[in-house]
Amino acid sequence: MRVAFLVAPEGVEESELTGPWEAVTEAGGEPVLVSTWPGEVLSFRHLEKGDRFVVDQVVGEVSAGMFDALVLPGGVANPDQLRTDAEAVDLVKDFVDQGRPIAAICHGPWLLIEADAVRGRTLTSYPSLATDIRNAGGTWVDEAVRVDSSGPTTLLTSRTPRDLPAFNEALVGVFTTAAAAAR
């Protein structure tokens, strides 16, 4: 299972990157850090600067067909930057169009909204995105994890770092099943 983790050059919530990354690795998968710029990305621990992580590939050099699934970590600044980057939004649309599963946590669903992927779907997120999801035609629920398989791709969403254990467990299950079915 090869999984893209799409992040901006800075602002990704560190635990929302490292927790799912470790879960994918422990499940025998290959996580790949994709960003809009080469080099390193700077994570944050809420509002404090966190660790730096080396970018594996730049968004313009990849397509959904290179991966089995996509993870959209949160942090406020991270998805806010990505949703204004046309190539990042196009990559998310590519995953949707190809029916590859997407997992988004916290503010990560902003990218799903920008990619017009929430209409008619049920998601959870950081509570401040509830109105954004509803305005984009989705249904927002206050749950630790929500898996919606009603559209062209499975969307797995979660609220906050507090929900990471449930998010990671669901993510590994959904991604492993999808990767096996694709082979």
Side-chain angles (χ1 to χ4, degrees), residues 1 15 20-21 31 50-51 61 63 70 85 96 106 118 127 132 141 165 167 169 174 178 183:
M1 149 177 80
S15 64
W21 186 283
D51 293 335
E61 301 170 350
S63 68
L70 173 65
D85 185 289
V96 172
C106 195
V118 303
D132 297 340
V141 293
F167 180 69
E169 182 180 341
V174 168
R183 285 176 173 67

Side-chain angles (χ1 to χ4, degrees), residues 67-87:
F67 303 96
D68 295 300
L70 173 65
V71 175
L72 302 173
V76 177
N78 175 56
D80 193 46
Q81 289 177 55
L82 290 173
R83 68 184 175 155
T84 64
D85 185 289
E87 288 183 320

Side-chain angles (χ1 to χ4, degrees), residues 3-175:
V3 180
F5 283 72
L6 179 59
V7 300
E10 67 176 30
V12 64
E13 182 66 36
E14 188 170 307
S15 64
E16 295 173 6
L17 171 61
T18 59
W21 186 283
E22 291 168 7
V24 167
T25 302
E26 288 173 8
E30 176 191 357
V32 178
L33 189 60
V34 178
S35 188
T36 55
W37 291 97
E40 295 181 330
V41 297
L42 175 62
S43 71
F44 275 71
R45 297 178 193 121
H46 192 54
L47 299 175
E48 302 294 322
K49 289 182 180 180
D51 293 335
R52 293 184 176 276
F53 298 89
V54 176
V55 173
D56 295 312
Q57 294 190 269
V58 177
V59 73
E61 301 170 350
V62 299
S63 68
M66 299 168 68
F67 303 96
D68 295 300
L70 173 65
V71 175
L72 302 173
V76 177
N78 175 56
D80 193 46
Q81 289 177 55
L82 290 173
R83 68 184 175 155
T84 64
D85 185 289
E87 288 183 320
V89 174
D90 286 346
L91 181 60
V92 174
K93 288 179 181 178
D94 192 19
F95 273 87
V96 172
D97 292 345
Q98 292 194 31
R100 298 179 190 273
I102 301 172
I105 186 169
C106 195
H107 289 77
W110 265 339
L111 271 163
L112 298 173
I113 292 167
E114 196 64 36
D116 194 25
V118 303
R119 188 172 318 283
R121 310 296 295 275
T122 301
L123 294 83
T124 191
S125 68
Y126 193 78
S128 65
L129 274 66
T131 300
D132 297 340
I133 289 169
R134 289 184 193 111
N135 287 343
T139 299
W140 185 83
V141 293
D142 186 11
E143 298 174 1
V145 175
R146 172 56 86 136
V147 178
D148 184 313
S149 300
S150 66
T153 187
T154 299
L155 298 180
L156 186 150
T157 52
S158 192
R159 298 175 301 198
T160 70
R162 190 174 52 246
D163 299 320
L164 277 167
F167 180 69
N168 293 341
E169 182 180 341
L171 175 148
V172 167
V174 168
F175 288 4

